Amino acid sequence: MTVTLVLTTDLEAQIAAAAREPLETAGVLLANLVVAPNGDLRLLGHKVAWVQDGAYLTRERHQLLIASEGYVPALGEAEAAGLLPIWLHTHPGEDGVPLPSRYDHTVDRQLADLFRLRSGAPFYGALIASPRGRHFAFSGSLHPDDGPVLPIERLWQVGEDWRLSRSVDAAGPEIPSLFDRSVRAFGVAIQGALGDLRVGVVGAGGTGSAVSEQLVRLGVRHLTLIDVDTLSETNVTRVYGSTPADVGRPKVEVLCDHLHRIAPDLTCDVMASMVTLEATARQLAACDVVFGCTDDNAGRLVLSRVATYLLTPVIDIGVLLSSDAAGLLASIDGRITTLTPGAACLVCRDRIDLARAAQELRTPDERKRLEEEGYAPSLGGGEPAVVAFTTSVAAAGVAELLERLIGYGPKPRPTEVLLRWHEREISTNTSAPRAGHYCDPASGKWGQGGASPFLGQVWPQA
């Protein structure tokens, strides 16, 4: 079981600023608790209720004493909203060590029962932060009513930049020498983050297989692959790792076998299922980043909600080849849209055909009847696809992940890249959420992944 704290850039900046205060500072971090199907826990940061000045009985560089009114109101807010309260305090100074002292352990024992009782949460959470440049180092733990204490091992910061860090008392992944060339390009810290990232890839076809292979060659070692299709004869021209002998096998199994030949130490979970089913979509709750490589509109509707409700960035990739009347290529378009808290979702961008999405969710008989009656669009057959173009757009999507981790590009970052191969043209844009839509920060939907219904939508039955 791995426990990850997920913070938006704004919330991370608040805590980092508090850590830079010369005196110890305290507050209650309120978070949504999400339990992934694999047992991993994710704490989606909601807000920090800082202790007000008048509630500090003692406030020094190495000591705090706080009246109960400094934190009890936050416990009531946690109970009302179904949030987990995490007792947060700082150990000041760039040389500060964010590990609990004997006094901190005593305070944790004193607060644990009260926090659980007053909030109704299954855990008492504790977090200590010390400044490290613009950010902070940390240690943290979750204390259940009974059972062992769980360390908060990872912090995943999402926003314009993405940053993965580990608790000061958690060992990071070892970096094999085979990544020497990559380390020379972006350093040990980024290489370590790549090895620690949990990445989901929805769609294991032309773009999904190309994305997955590049991720593994970059050092990603935790993948979740989702695709319901089996490999067809015409897929072999684009799906990496496939051969004619694999025709008829589930795409995710073909791809997983191929990736294990590249990286035997890869952890690869596969689901031969549709992401439009709730049980399948819930697998993404364990991921830090998701690549959307599916060409169905209904699936992309689900992914569009993931960035908001789970605070999980989604890099959605699309390729469209159009032919003229003679059946020859007329245009080659690629799109890489990055969904991250604060950016417009695919619906706000009009990147999803809602009528086709509704049609895709119907049973085959319903679909045929409505198509014949003219009440729904025909879904048609296979579209043109060429490995050179699916691979190039997939590479641009992976590069977007690297740019968010490394920061080699200009700021503010665009949230969409459009490739028009036939015109040798690349353009970018940024789009804000529509007012009141779920991706609008004012909607209050950010990080509500633990609430019911999952992702705030109605799910079809399996």
PDB file of all heavy atoms in Angstrom, residues 344-345 348 431-444:
ATOM      1  N   ALA A 344      -9.231  24.098 -19.171  1.00  0.00           N
ATOM      2  CA  ALA A 344     -10.520  23.642 -19.696  1.00  0.00           C
ATOM      3  C   ALA A 344     -10.490  22.143 -19.976  1.00  0.00           C
ATOM      4  O   ALA A 344      -9.466  21.592 -20.392  1.00  0.00           O
ATOM      5  CB  ALA A 344     -10.848  24.396 -20.978  1.00  0.00           C
ATOM      6  N   CYS A 345     -11.619  21.490 -19.762  1.00  0.00           N
ATOM      7  CA  CYS A 345     -11.727  20.058 -20.055  1.00  0.00           C
ATOM      8  C   CYS A 345     -12.018  19.867 -21.544  1.00  0.00           C
ATOM      9  O   CYS A 345     -12.152  20.832 -22.308  1.00  0.00           O
ATOM     10  CB  CYS A 345     -12.822  19.427 -19.205  1.00  0.00           C
ATOM     11  SG  CYS A 345     -14.485  19.961 -19.681  1.00  0.00           S
ATOM     12  N   CYS A 348     -15.437  21.517 -22.586  1.00  0.00           N
ATOM     13  CA  CYS A 348     -15.357  22.977 -22.741  1.00  0.00           C
ATOM     14  C   CYS A 348     -14.609  23.365 -24.013  1.00  0.00           C
ATOM     15  O   CYS A 348     -14.836  24.429 -24.577  1.00  0.00           O
ATOM     16  CB  CYS A 348     -14.682  23.606 -21.520  1.00  0.00           C
ATOM     17  SG  CYS A 348     -15.705  23.577 -20.018  1.00  0.00           S
ATOM     18  N   SER A 431      -7.045  27.326 -23.147  1.00  0.00           N
ATOM     19  CA  SER A 431      -8.487  27.531 -23.031  1.00  0.00           C
ATOM     20  C   SER A 431      -8.897  27.446 -21.564  1.00  0.00           C
ATOM     21  O   SER A 431      -8.449  26.562 -20.837  1.00  0.00           O
ATOM     22  CB  SER A 431      -9.232  26.469 -23.849  1.00  0.00           C
ATOM     23  OG  SER A 431     -10.624  26.678 -23.780  1.00  0.00           O
ATOM     24  N   ALA A 432      -9.736  28.383 -21.145  1.00  0.00           N
ATOM     25  CA  ALA A 432     -10.208  28.411 -19.752  1.00  0.00           C
ATOM     26  C   ALA A 432     -11.522  27.647 -19.634  1.00  0.00           C
ATOM     27  O   ALA A 432     -12.283  27.544 -20.603  1.00  0.00           O
ATOM     28  CB  ALA A 432     -10.399  29.853 -19.298  1.00  0.00           C
ATOM     29  N   PRO A 433     -11.821  27.102 -18.458  1.00  0.00           N
ATOM     30  CA  PRO A 433     -13.102  26.396 -18.259  1.00  0.00           C
ATOM     31  C   PRO A 433     -14.294  27.330 -18.467  1.00  0.00           C
ATOM     32  O   PRO A 433     -14.211  28.532 -18.210  1.00  0.00           O
ATOM     33  CB  PRO A 433     -13.029  25.941 -16.802  1.00  0.00           C
ATOM     34  CG  PRO A 433     -11.581  25.959 -16.445  1.00  0.00           C
ATOM     35  CD  PRO A 433     -10.973  27.067 -17.252  1.00  0.00           C
ATOM     36  N   ARG A 434     -15.396  26.750 -18.932  1.00  0.00           N
ATOM     37  CA  ARG A 434     -16.632  27.521 -19.006  1.00  0.00           C
ATOM     38  C   ARG A 434     -17.147  27.745 -17.588  1.00  0.00           C
ATOM     39  O   ARG A 434     -17.070  26.858 -16.739  1.00  0.00           O
ATOM     40  CB  ARG A 434     -17.680  26.770 -19.829  1.00  0.00           C
ATOM     41  CG  ARG A 434     -17.311  26.592 -21.289  1.00  0.00           C
ATOM     42  CD  ARG A 434     -18.342  25.706 -21.985  1.00  0.00           C
ATOM     43  NE  ARG A 434     -17.935  25.383 -23.345  1.00  0.00           N
ATOM     44  CZ  ARG A 434     -18.501  24.431 -24.083  1.00  0.00           C
ATOM     45  NH1 ARG A 434     -19.502  23.709 -23.578  1.00  0.00           N
ATOM     46  NH2 ARG A 434     -18.075  24.193 -25.302  1.00  0.00           N
ATOM     47  N   ALA A 435     -17.719  28.909 -17.365  1.00  0.00           N
ATOM     48  CA  ALA A 435     -18.224  29.241 -16.038  1.00  0.00           C
ATOM     49  C   ALA A 435     -19.267  28.218 -15.588  1.00  0.00           C
ATOM     50  O   ALA A 435     -20.202  27.906 -16.331  1.00  0.00           O
ATOM     51  CB  ALA A 435     -18.837  30.637 -16.041  1.00  0.00           C
ATOM     52  N   GLY A 436     -19.067  27.687 -14.404  1.00  0.00           N
ATOM     53  CA  GLY A 436     -20.021  26.749 -13.827  1.00  0.00           C
ATOM     54  C   GLY A 436     -19.827  25.307 -14.209  1.00  0.00           C
ATOM     55  O   GLY A 436     -20.450  24.425 -13.609  1.00  0.00           O
ATOM     56  N   HIS A 437     -18.982  25.038 -15.226  1.00  0.00           N
ATOM     57  CA  HIS A 437     -18.757  23.643 -15.615  1.00  0.00           C
ATOM     58  C   HIS A 437     -17.917  22.955 -14.540  1.00  0.00           C
ATOM     59  O   HIS A 437     -17.253  23.618 -13.747  1.00  0.00           O
ATOM     60  CB  HIS A 437     -18.054  23.580 -16.978  1.00  0.00           C
ATOM     61  CG  HIS A 437     -18.212  22.257 -17.658  1.00  0.00           C
ATOM     62  ND1 HIS A 437     -17.164  21.427 -17.936  1.00  0.00           N
ATOM     63  CD2 HIS A 437     -19.319  21.613 -18.089  1.00  0.00           C
ATOM     64  CE1 HIS A 437     -17.610  20.324 -18.534  1.00  0.00           C
ATOM     65  NE2 HIS A 437     -18.919  20.415 -18.637  1.00  0.00           N
ATOM     66  N   TYR A 438     -17.941  21.610 -14.527  1.00  0.00           N
ATOM     67  CA  TYR A 438     -17.262  20.918 -13.433  1.00  0.00           C
ATOM     68  C   TYR A 438     -15.768  21.229 -13.362  1.00  0.00           C
ATOM     69  O   TYR A 438     -15.168  21.170 -12.291  1.00  0.00           O
ATOM     70  CB  TYR A 438     -17.494  19.401 -13.504  1.00  0.00           C
ATOM     71  CG  TYR A 438     -16.944  18.707 -14.737  1.00  0.00           C
ATOM     72  CD1 TYR A 438     -15.586  18.446 -14.865  1.00  0.00           C
ATOM     73  CD2 TYR A 438     -17.786  18.296 -15.747  1.00  0.00           C
ATOM     74  CE1 TYR A 438     -15.080  17.808 -15.979  1.00  0.00           C
ATOM     75  CE2 TYR A 438     -17.301  17.653 -16.866  1.00  0.00           C
ATOM     76  CZ  TYR A 438     -15.936  17.416 -16.982  1.00  0.00           C
ATOM     77  OH  TYR A 438     -15.449  16.782 -18.092  1.00  0.00           O
ATOM     78  N   CYS A 439     -15.134  21.560 -14.494  1.00  0.00           N
ATOM     79  CA  CYS A 439     -13.702  21.863 -14.478  1.00  0.00           C
ATOM     80  C   CYS A 439     -13.408  23.292 -14.042  1.00  0.00           C
ATOM     81  O   CYS A 439     -12.245  23.665 -13.858  1.00  0.00           O
ATOM     82  CB  CYS A 439     -13.089  21.591 -15.849  1.00  0.00           C
ATOM     83  SG  CYS A 439     -13.818  22.579 -17.182  1.00  0.00           S
ATOM     84  N   ASP A 440     -14.445  24.104 -13.867  1.00  0.00           N
ATOM     85  CA  ASP A 440     -14.276  25.477 -13.387  1.00  0.00           C
ATOM     86  C   ASP A 440     -13.876  25.421 -11.912  1.00  0.00           C
ATOM     87  O   ASP A 440     -14.587  24.801 -11.103  1.00  0.00           O
ATOM     88  CB  ASP A 440     -15.600  26.234 -13.559  1.00  0.00           C
ATOM     89  CG  ASP A 440     -15.517  27.681 -13.082  1.00  0.00           C
ATOM     90  OD1 ASP A 440     -14.456  28.079 -12.561  1.00  0.00           O
ATOM     91  OD2 ASP A 440     -16.520  28.408 -13.232  1.00  0.00           O
ATOM     92  N   PRO A 441     -12.767  26.031 -11.514  1.00  0.00           N
ATOM     93  CA  PRO A 441     -12.370  25.993 -10.097  1.00  0.00           C
ATOM     94  C   PRO A 441     -13.486  26.448  -9.163  1.00  0.00           C
ATOM     95  O   PRO A 441     -13.592  25.960  -8.029  1.00  0.00           O
ATOM     96  CB  PRO A 441     -11.169  26.936 -10.049  1.00  0.00           C
ATOM     97  CG  PRO A 441     -10.592  26.898 -11.427  1.00  0.00           C
ATOM     98  CD  PRO A 441     -11.778  26.745 -12.349  1.00  0.00           C
ATOM     99  N   ALA A 442     -14.335  27.368  -9.631  1.00  0.00           N
ATOM    100  CA  ALA A 442     -15.412  27.868  -8.774  1.00  0.00           C
ATOM    101  C   ALA A 442     -16.503  26.826  -8.528  1.00  0.00           C
ATOM    102  O   ALA A 442     -17.350  27.009  -7.652  1.00  0.00           O
ATOM    103  CB  ALA A 442     -16.036  29.118  -9.406  1.00  0.00           C
ATOM    104  N   SER A 443     -16.491  25.725  -9.288  1.00  0.00           N
ATOM    105  CA  SER A 443     -17.526  24.698  -9.128  1.00  0.00           C
ATOM    106  C   SER A 443     -17.341  23.896  -7.850  1.00  0.00           C
ATOM    107  O   SER A 443     -18.271  23.220  -7.393  1.00  0.00           O
ATOM    108  CB  SER A 443     -17.510  23.740 -10.321  1.00  0.00           C
ATOM    109  OG  SER A 443     -16.356  22.914 -10.283  1.00  0.00           O
ATOM    110  N   GLY A 444     -16.144  23.950  -7.273  1.00  0.00           N
ATOM    111  CA  GLY A 444     -15.876  23.184  -6.060  1.00  0.00           C
ATOM    112  C   GLY A 444     -15.712  21.694  -6.296  1.00  0.00           C
ATOM    113  O   GLY A 444     -15.724  20.905  -5.358  1.00  0.00           O
TER     114      GLY A 444
END
